[in-house]
Amino acid sequence: MPIRLCTALFIICMFQAFPVRAVSPAHPLDPLTWDEHWAVLKVLADAGKITADTRFARLALKTPDKLLVWEGKSSADTGRAAEVVIKEGSKTFEASIDLTASRVVSWTEIPGVQAPWLSEEYNNEVLFDVQASEEFQNALKKRGVKFPEFVQCNVNPRGGLAEPEYAGRRIGIIACQEQGQGRNLTPREIDGLNIIVDVNTREILEIIDEGGSAAPVQPAEYDLKSQTGLRRFPAPIAIHQPSGAGFKLEQGVVEWDRWRFHVRPDQRTGLVLSTVTWNDGGKPRPILYEGHLSEIFVPYMDPGKTWASRVHLDVGENSAGGLAGTLETGVHCPANATYIDAIVVEDDGRPKDKPRVACIFEKFAGDVTWAHANEGRQKRSLVVRMSALAGNYDYLIDWVFQTDGEIRVNVGATGIVGVKTSPQKNAASVEGGKPQPELYGRFVADHLIGVNHSHYFNFRFDFDVDGPANSFSLDRMRQTAIPKSSPRRSVWVSEAQIAAREADVTAHQGHGGHAMWRFLSSAKQNAQGYATSYQIMGVHSTQSMMDKDDVALQRAGFINHDLWVTPRDPDELYAAGKYTTQSGPGQGLQKWTAKNRDIKGRDIVAWYTIGMHHVVRAEDWPVMPTLTHGVSLRPFDFFDRNPALDTSPEP
């Protein structure tokens, strides 16, 4: 009997033998419990929706009504529901399950889309056919591979480029590495050889052989055992909190200083932070209803056929098994960290425990919150961290809460850069002593070139500044005429422009000048009569250098603007659209904002993209030092004075 059929029958038989009763958590935004997860499967099995071909791309909490959550209702009041994305053969289905009533509310086929990549597809059976093919074996021989049995291959989702010959197919691309020379297999990738397959039909569609180099590559180990002569600091630093953590974590709710918020692990985005409030004199003031990573886009800048499709939308394509990886003390998080575990869905629908997908810790590094002369306060902050392992890269995502009301979102890129082999040894061996433009990168080691690429991280911020009714203000700074009697010849002024519609936000971008972006309350003013607001302050903007007719850009059009503002829609959660596996152009923000909807005095959402272009340097090899960029959510007239004025001098 096929394994898939056994799996499906096992699930159904399990329910018949052991009835599942779901016990709901107290907080309505808590993720599904182990029992609730099984209860969803029972409801689907009872409804005849689980077959031998049923594969689960998502099984997660369907969040309740936002206003009920803000009112402080419990899960018993709001009810519990689940959202499910299922792949059956080449078809994709969405289901909504009412856990309170134990029934299927909806079951809908979504035509023309492909479900996110599954864990089992990375090792699809087509690998055996490929490795046994004569053309593949000849390609290995041509490259001097003496032991083909030690070649390791995987099937990865191929970045969609809208080729008509692949329309409707489940396209994977197979890349291989030669084992046997060190633990780090990155420099042993068999360059210039990719195999395009259909993982649904197990067909080999094309074997691309661009004649990669057989040049010798030295091992590039980075594990601790491989290092010699470790540097030791003469005076160690210890992180110690003798009285325990200075924050409280209970049922997903974090309380620290004046801050209170909810943390929920999510298989696709890693983490979701919700109901962020500030305790102002005993009264909680809402700031952010929801914030999370929305999408990651990493286009490589090599036009060769084996590199051209490396234009991944990692959140939508590569979150099988959970985007957030397991964290380790002393590696990802300090000794004083508290951890949060998760439950993820396996391909067959079963729940799986995934430990330590987030850590929370207090940070003190001698930074200054504010100072003047001999008065001031040192900075103590709270960090909520996850690490997203996306292929060769690791991305550390930090939400940093500060005592002055600011939330800083940092993205740290580390891991291993993408490299290709070269027949030249290094830059000095190239004619004229200069690398040629066709290398599309820089040498990081002998015969290895780090390929140029970009990283884009889009975050979705559902602002509720002193309530859900907000407006977006573009505060332009410009020179203004001054009286001739003034000794000055120029000054600038700031003028607030309230955006009425979505196009008003994007129209000004890319035209130069100076501006601030603020989200204003429609209901409250500070003591000086200004609308309370929060500012998005980006510190690193990277505009795309890709042509508008490049399909890769059209699929990731959210990078065309640093900031988008949309009216809140609970179905609009991901900047490049819900289904990015081989998606077509123009999805997500491009499609939604084409309606040019009203955003003034509404419940609105900000979408901000952090970008970085990466010209690889020698210091990035064999493992890259963390490069961090970020964005700040800063109070602007939200308070009547500096909110950190009353913090203690002792951190």
Side-chain angles (χ1 to χ4, degrees), residues 239-251:
I239 299 173
H240 182 51
Q241 290 185 287
S243 300
F247 64 91
K248 183 170 71 172
L249 172 62
E250 186 174 329
Q251 294 182 330

Side-chain angles (χ1 to χ4, degrees), residues 101-120:
S102 296
R103 68 185 183 94
V104 178
V105 176
S106 64
W107 175 275
T108 308
E109 181 179 353
I110 311 299
V113 304
Q114 296 205 30
W117 207 252
L118 303 170
S119 294
E120 68 182 24

Side-chain angles (χ1 to χ4, degrees), residues 297-299 393 395 410-414 453-457 540-543 545 609-615 624 626-630:
F297 178 47
V298 185
Y393 266 100
Y395 300 118
N410 290 330
V411 177
T414 182
H453 57 281
S454 302
H455 301 263
Y456 299 94
F457 308 87
H540 193 267
S541 172
T542 302
Q543 293 294 321
M545 291 181 281
T609 299
I610 299 169
M612 54 183 91
H613 295 315
H614 191 177
V615 177
M624 176 184 169
T626 304
L627 177 64
T628 301
H629 294 300

Side-chain angles (χ1 to χ4, degrees), residues 48 53 98 237 252 290 349 363 569 581 607 643:
D53 292 326
D98 184 338
I237 296 177
E290 201 169 61
K363 181 178 179 180
D569 185 325
T581 302
W607 308 75

